[in-house]
Amino acid sequence: QVQLVESGGGLVQAGGSLRLSCAASGRPVSNYAMGWFRQAPGKEREYVAAINWSGSNTYYADSVKGRFTISRDDAKNTVYLQMSTLKPEDTAVYSCAITLASGNYYSAHPYGYWGQGTQVTVSS
């Protein structure tokens, strides 16, 4: 079993920045791709970003491209999401997930383990 715990969420003004962390425990996740998803109230869960197992490739939703950066530190068993130039529409609960799949990262289906999420609120 793998446990994922997100942290770093909070309240920030539009244009500000936050860095989310997702710490994994239970087993090393160096062989897993890792992704971030978000869900706003009353909306469907939305893919945000993903990084492959080696960290050599990163993928972003169009809505966050150029503003968010995903990275991983396998020595710490942790994935990060650096969020900049935040907008009120980025307000959501952000969750991380991991998968052994080698593609289709934008879909929730390949991900076998999920964290509980951390709230990000961007005020205008």
Side-chain angles (χ1 to χ4, degrees), residues 5-27:
V5 178
E6 302 91 341
S7 61
L11 174 64
V12 64
Q13 288 188 332
S17 299
L18 282 175
R19 188 177 82 153
L20 305 184
S21 300
C22 171
S25 61
R27 70 172 69 164

Side-chain angles (χ1 to χ4, degrees), residues 30-108:
S30 55
N31 290 335
Y32 289 79
M34 307 179 84
W36 285 95
F37 289 76
R38 67 187 182 185
Q39 188 166 19
K43 294 189 176 181
E44 296 289 319
R45 181 167 51 193
E46 175 188 26
Y47 160 76
V48 175
I51 186 166
N52 71 337
W53 68 273
S54 68
S56 60
N57 293 307
T58 56
Y59 311 86
Y60 298 95
D62 287 343
S63 59
V64 307
K65 200 171 294 183
R67 300 189 298 121
F68 290 11
T69 302
I70 188 172
S71 62
R72 64 188 297 158
D73 184 342
D74 289 334
K76 296 182 178 180
N77 239 23
T78 299
V79 64
Y80 303 98
L81 186 68
Q82 177 67 49
M83 307 186 295
S84 303
T85 320
L86 283 161
K87 305 176 181 180
E89 51 263 44
D90 294 319
T91 295
V93 174
Y94 284 70
S95 300
C96 64
I98 62 172
T99 176
L100 286 171
S102 59
N104 198 25
Y105 298 134
Y106 59 89
S107 170

